Amino acid sequence: MEAIQSLRGMVDLLPVQTPLWQRIEATAREHFRRAAIGEIRTPLLEATELFARGIGEATDVVGKEMYTFLDRGDRSCTLRPEGTASVVRAAIEHGLLAQGPQRLWYGGPMFRYERPQKGRQRQFHQIGVELLGVADATSDAEAIAVAWDLLADLGVDGLELEINSLGTNDDRVRYRSELVAWLQAHHDQLDADSQQRIATNPLRVLDSKNPATQALLSGAPTLADALAGESHERFAQVRQALEELGIPFVLNPRLVRGLDYYGHTAFEITSSQLGAQATVCGGGRYDGLVEQLGGPPTAAVGWALGLERLVLLLSQAGTMASEAAVPDLYVISRGGAAERLALGLCRQGRQAGLVVERDPSGAAFGKQFKRADRSGALWAAVVGEEEAAEGAVVLKHLRDPQQQDRRLPSGAVLELLAKA
Ligand code: ATP
Ligand code: MG
């Protein structure tokens, strides 16, 4: 029969890969703990309306990337393409915002129907932070610092923090008309995608991945020129806070995020080692979103970090080689009674906190020894029929030929290993 394969863009993570993922997750958890950021877990499936309203109908994500379907009750459901809308929904639904500012993080799979390529999948993973109910410019810098320090601690080099200010709604309305006029004047030189966006979502043209369009845009009016004095002032405060924290950044006047809810600070952390998919982490301020989703007016700032791209960077750098669990003890046995004794020994070892692997093959001892050796274990415990009859075990040091094999009552093995 033909074997069934995973869906396009849906990726398995095998045991040789997961140690690196676990290390990243553990490091992130520790950083969030120290920053007093609590974990929130929301469903993978939400009402389609949440993303349509939250992210914006004219975005790529909502327009063409969502996994949307009708459930058996004819409700339109969508597999979450990002985390922020769900976190905000949950915060509103559970009245968290009435309890003061919320410092939240989430992690897990996201789903976008995109063309799969290196660093771009249809199921991918993000961890993200959302600080809800914080309006001050220092909170923007704090959110950025949490991401920056996490990446530094993980040992990712060569990262660049790019920041921009998207200003207020009024700023963007003013800028939009300037930009549209300019885009219309350069209509023929734009790629087809960008030409379409002039009408639907002109600011998104700035985010075009087309190199020719990007080159052309260097002559376009920038948001910075359209910002009102207060927006300028706010952006200056964010930059000053970053400078005082010693976090280097570059200004990118064309940085706009893919989601419509951002205003004021927008940022991306990028790496030139990732090719076209350069952004590892992106985020910014989204003061309007909570209200837009039916909650009280709430200032907020947050970010999301793509784990696949982070893993690519760490594997390219050769840092943190995989560290599959090496057993402390490898248990070899042959024959019914011996296998039962071995099983009990394994369980006791695990209860005592040791990493214990059991060879269940019943194969010749020579074969089992080879596997024990390959496992990297320090010790092998061998139970043959004779040993089983006596309740004994032969303990063999696998890495030091000087050490003599020892025949012990099975109960004594763990004691000895605990001391070794
Ligand atoms: P891009 O411009 O690369 O499509 P985006 O602006 O759509 O990214 P966000 O929605 O801001 O990305 O998501 C934050 C991060 O999640 C990205 O910077 C990236 O690291 C990661 N990410 C987004 N989409 C994917 C995907 N399809 N596959 C893998 N990682 C992704
Ligand atoms: Mg995208």
Side-chain angles (χ1 to χ4, degrees):
M1 244 205 290
E2 206 176 311
I4 298 170
Q5 299 202 321
S6 65
L7 293 169
R8 191 162 136 78
M10 307 276 169
V11 176
D12 299 309
L13 292 175
L14 304 180
V16 296
Q17 298 167 293
T18 48
L20 178 53
W21 284 74
Q22 288 170 357
R23 176 116 169 237
I24 292 170
E25 287 157 6
T27 307
R29 250 187 218 113
E30 178 58 15
H31 277 249
F32 299 148
R33 193 182 68 80
R34 292 185 200 169
I37 299 172
E39 184 183 5
I40 182 164
R41 299 190 191 193
T42 64
L44 301 193
L45 204 58
E46 296 272 4
T48 302
E49 169 70 8
L50 173 67
F51 304 113
R53 217 197 306 166
I55 302 173
E57 300 273 8
T59 59
D60 282 355
V61 171
V62 174
K64 52 187 188 194
E65 295 174 359
M66 294 208 303
Y67 278 90
T68 297
F69 59 91
L70 290 180
D71 71 5
R72 290 172 192 275
D74 273 341
R75 282 169 290 259
S76 180
C77 301
T78 294
L79 280 167
R80 65 179 187 191
E82 58 106 51
T84 305
S86 305
V87 169
V88 168
R89 177 203 50 72
I92 297 169
E93 190 168 329
H94 301 284
L96 300 186
L97 298 165
Q99 301 165 22
Q102 297 292 311
R103 303 166 64 82
L104 305 169
W105 74 269
Y106 62 85
M110 306 293 161
F111 304 85
R112 295 185 194 178
Y113 199 81
E114 300 194 70
R115 190 168 69 79
Q117 46 196 303
K118 193 175 160 203
R120 195 176 292 286
Q121 298 174 183
R122 290 182 173 175
Q123 177 176 329
F124 62 100
H125 298 81
Q126 287 182 336
I127 50 175
V129 162
E130 315 291 356
L131 306 180
L132 307 177
V134 294
D136 58 309
T138 45
S139 288
D140 303 30
E142 183 184 11
I144 292 173
V146 171
W148 187 258
D149 291 344
L150 170 59
L151 290 165
D153 199 12
L154 286 166
V156 197
D157 304 319
L159 292 177
E160 193 159 84
L161 168 64
E162 298 177 27
I163 61 172
N164 190 22
S165 173
L166 306 177
T168 61
N169 259 332
D170 286 348
D171 294 338
R172 286 192 299 284
V173 168
R174 204 163 341 108
Y175 174 62
R176 188 171 294 131
S177 54
E178 275 176 50
L179 181 66
V180 167
W182 188 91
L183 291 170
Q184 277 163 348
H186 295 79
H187 183 273
D188 295 348
Q189 291 157 268
L190 293 167
D191 60 273
D193 239 15
S194 298
Q195 288 176 345
Q196 272 190 343
R197 286 200 175 118
I198 298 178
T200 55
N201 200 348
L203 263 66
R204 295 283 302 147
V205 176
L206 300 178
D207 195 34
S208 165
K209 306 258 183 324
N210 183 305
T213 301
Q214 270 307 328
L216 181 72
L217 286 167
S218 59
T222 68
L223 242 164
D225 298 328
L227 293 187
E230 275 174 36
S231 300
H232 266 300
E233 173 57 24
R234 194 179 187 292
F235 191 36
Q237 288 168 8
V238 175
R239 294 194 318 256
Q240 188 187 355
L242 288 172
E243 272 159 16
E244 286 175 9
L245 292 175
I247 297 176
F249 59 84
V250 293
L251 298 179
N252 177 354
R254 280 192 296 283
L255 192 157
V256 289
R257 305 284 309 126
L259 315 172
D260 271 356
Y261 48 60
Y262 289 109
H264 289 300
T265 311
F267 74 94
E268 290 192 349
I269 300 176
T270 58
S271 166
S272 56
Q273 295 162 56
L274 284 172
Q277 276 63 246
T279 306
V280 185
C281 177
R285 182 158 278 284
Y286 51 92
D287 292 347
L289 181 63
V290 178
E291 219 177 342
Q292 201 174 312
L293 291 176
T298 306
V301 61
W303 50 258
L305 195 155
L307 292 186
E308 278 75 11
R309 294 183 196 178
L310 177 56
V311 164
L312 275 172
L313 282 174
L314 289 171
S315 336
Q316 278 168 10
T319 38
M320 301 201 302
S322 79
E323 22 167 300
V326 171
D328 300 303
L329 178 66
Y330 193 99
V331 179
I332 286 172
S333 62
R334 194 161 190 218
E339 283 166 22
R340 287 193 303 278
L341 190 144
L343 180 62
L345 178 66
C346 288
R347 183 168 179 229
Q348 284 163 10
R350 290 164 189 162
Q351 284 169 340
L354 298 174
V355 180
V356 186
E357 185 169 348
R358 187 175 74 92
D359 193 318
S361 66
F365 279 125
K367 279 195 176 161
Q368 296 196 44
F369 266 119
K370 270 200 193 125
R371 279 197 285 264
D373 220 37
R374 272 205 306 268
S375 77
L378 207 55
W379 298 92
V382 188
V383 194
E385 268 166 33
E386 227 172 88
E387 285 81 21
E390 296 168 23
V393 167
V394 174
L395 194 63
K396 195 178 174 57
H397 200 289
L398 291 171
R399 311 293 147 194
D400 181 1
Q402 307 288 351
Q403 291 213 27
Q404 297 257 314
D405 293 358
R406 271 172 273 196
R407 197 184 173 93
L408 306 163
S410 76
V413 171
L414 298 176
E415 248 170 71
L416 191 137
L417 289 185
K419 283 187 218 136

